[in-house]
Amino acid sequence: MNKYFKILLILLLVVLVPITVLYGSFMFMLIYYDQAYYYSEGTNLGSPEYYDKAVYNAGEAGYKTEIYYVNAKEKEIPGLRPGTIEGLDPRLGSDYLVNSLDIYYSDSSWISISFLDDQESSVSFYSDDSLAKYRPDELPEREWIVQIFKIIFGMSGEEVEAYLPAEDWEVNDVFFDQVIVTETPDFAAIHKYLVKEATDSTFDAQTSGEGWCTETFYNESQKIGSIYYIVPNVEISHREGWSVYTVKIDRLGGLYLKVSLGPGSSGKTIPEDEYRAVFKRMFTDLGLPPEKVDEFEFRYSGGNW
């Protein structure tokens, strides 16, 4: 009997231990991620000079720092490193990425190119007519498309034709299915082309901590192109008790604040003057204007479940 009891006990352990570990891990995950937090709307300090100062001072103050592009590490986010481009490095620094660009043939037809990395790009042809499928006869003139592809990818006319929609192409509402081009893009050439063709341009650098910004080109009143850039941001964090205070600032002066109240803090709150005081102290340490903390409006999330 004793032998059979041992066998039964072993079998029970074999079955119950994995189940206990599985459910224990699941409960731990629920508790760990069930956190309350305060977060602010993004704003902009109006100067890119704050970024380098904050990164340097964070190291001196012993704060934890993590560099991101939006919310991902550089190798985890699609984008093209364009090299030195006249007029851009003074604005964006030397470590920005080109995420995508749109080249307009008309108000209702354009090419959109997303840079997956330095040697692979996704190309789509768009129309703004949301009531009908985009048809091949709505494409820009072939000569214009060939010219754009030659500038960006250095292709011949015959090579470009392989990427153009035919009658049997699939369409998804207002664009043809994307095609992948495996040629190294010449971003300097297309940027120079847009600068030359434009009579005016705008640069939207009013970022709010994640680093998105857009350069848009116009010929008179006609929009001819938009380029979407990503500059790096740094998450600077400081722990007080169970709470973690995070200042997120991007290279263009965009700013975002967050307080995480710790694992299992669902429903927990802290006084507003308490977390504002911590942020003011952090701002002082980082060389940021502490009075700016009073301008932030915070929202509260009580937890995930």
Side-chain angles (χ1 to χ4, degrees):
M1 180 66 70
N2 188 40
K3 182 176 73 171
Y4 291 114
F5 177 77
K6 288 181 179 180
I7 293 174
L8 179 61
L9 180 61
I10 292 172
L11 289 174
L12 286 172
L13 289 174
V14 169
V15 173
L16 292 178
V17 168
I19 293 175
T20 302
V21 171
L22 177 63
Y23 279 94
S25 300
F26 179 68
M27 291 302 298
F28 174 79
M29 293 284 287
L30 286 179
I31 294 172
Y32 182 83
Y33 286 106
D34 189 17
Q35 301 189 33
Y37 56 91
Y38 294 90
Y39 62 98
S40 75
E41 295 293 322
T43 189
N44 195 283
L45 296 176
S47 172
E49 296 178 1
Y50 286 110
Y51 178 82
D52 289 333
K53 182 190 298 185
V55 172
Y56 175 80
N57 289 335
E60 292 293 298
Y63 293 138
K64 180 182 177 181
T65 61
E66 290 283 348
I67 304 295
Y68 292 95
Y69 286 78
V70 190
N71 291 313
K73 297 293 187 179
E74 180 182 2
K75 293 183 178 179
E76 298 170 354
I77 191 165
L80 168 70
R81 277 196 173 277
T84 302
I85 305 297
E86 183 178 355
L88 288 183
D89 283 19
R91 276 179 163 170
L92 303 178
S94 59
D95 49 1
Y96 65 93
L97 299 176
V98 183
N99 180 260
S100 61
L101 60 84
D102 297 331
I103 309 294
Y104 286 81
Y105 177 71
S106 68
D107 290 333
S108 61
S109 186
W110 67 94
I111 297 175
S112 183
I113 302 174
S114 296
F115 300 109
L116 306 179
D117 55 37
D118 290 349
Q119 296 184 345
E120 194 170 70
S121 306
S122 173
V123 181
S124 288
F125 299 88
Y126 279 84
S127 166
D128 68 352
D129 184 359
S130 60
L131 300 178
K133 295 286 189 179
Y134 191 15
R135 302 183 303 273
D137 58 11
E138 293 174 327
L139 283 169
E141 292 181 2
R142 274 326 205 229
E143 293 78 5
W144 182 83
I145 298 176
V146 170
Q147 178 193 16
I148 297 300
F149 269 66
K150 282 182 176 180
I151 294 171
I152 300 178
F153 300 112
M155 293 180 175
S156 67
E158 292 76 15
E159 290 173 323
V160 175
E161 287 293 334
Y163 292 100
L164 298 186
E167 291 294 339
D168 58 349
W169 264 44
E170 293 294 325
V171 290
N172 184 357
D173 292 333
V174 295
F175 68 93
F176 284 103
D177 279 352
Q178 298 170 341
V179 294
I180 302 299
V181 178
T182 54
E183 300 285 347
T184 302
D186 188 345
F187 177 75
I190 195 62
H191 187 268
K192 184 177 180 180
Y193 165 81
L194 289 171
V195 169
K196 181 180 177 182
E197 294 293 315
T199 58
D200 191 20
S201 64
T202 60
F203 203 93
D204 176 17
Q206 295 303 305
T207 54
S208 55
E210 294 189 334
W212 289 103
C213 52
T214 306
E215 188 175 20
T216 305
F217 301 87
Y218 301 88
N219 188 303
E220 303 301 337
S221 61
Q222 172 73 43
K223 181 162 66 172
I224 62 172
S226 294
I227 304 175
Y228 304 95
Y229 303 104
I230 309 173
V231 297
N233 66 70
V234 60
E235 282 192 0
I236 302 169
S237 57
H238 167 65
R239 180 180 292 277
E240 294 241 341
W242 288 100
S243 299
V244 176
Y245 292 77
T246 300
V247 175
K248 189 172 187 177
I249 182 170
D250 64 47
R251 185 173 288 284
L252 297 176
L255 200 61
Y256 166 86
L257 308 179
K258 182 178 179 180
V259 189
S260 298
L261 303 189
S265 60
S266 178
K268 180 182 177 182
T269 62
I270 55 177
E272 181 177 347
D273 58 353
E274 180 179 320
Y275 62 75
R276 285 190 185 272
V278 175
F279 278 126
K280 286 183 177 181
R281 189 170 73 247
M282 290 183 70
F283 271 43
T284 300
D285 291 343
L286 298 174
L288 306 177
E291 65 275 9
K292 282 286 185 179
V293 175
D294 293 326
E295 299 178 12
F296 284 91
E297 293 186 10
F298 288 88
R299 298 181 180 180
Y300 174 73
S301 174
N304 293 319
W305 355 96

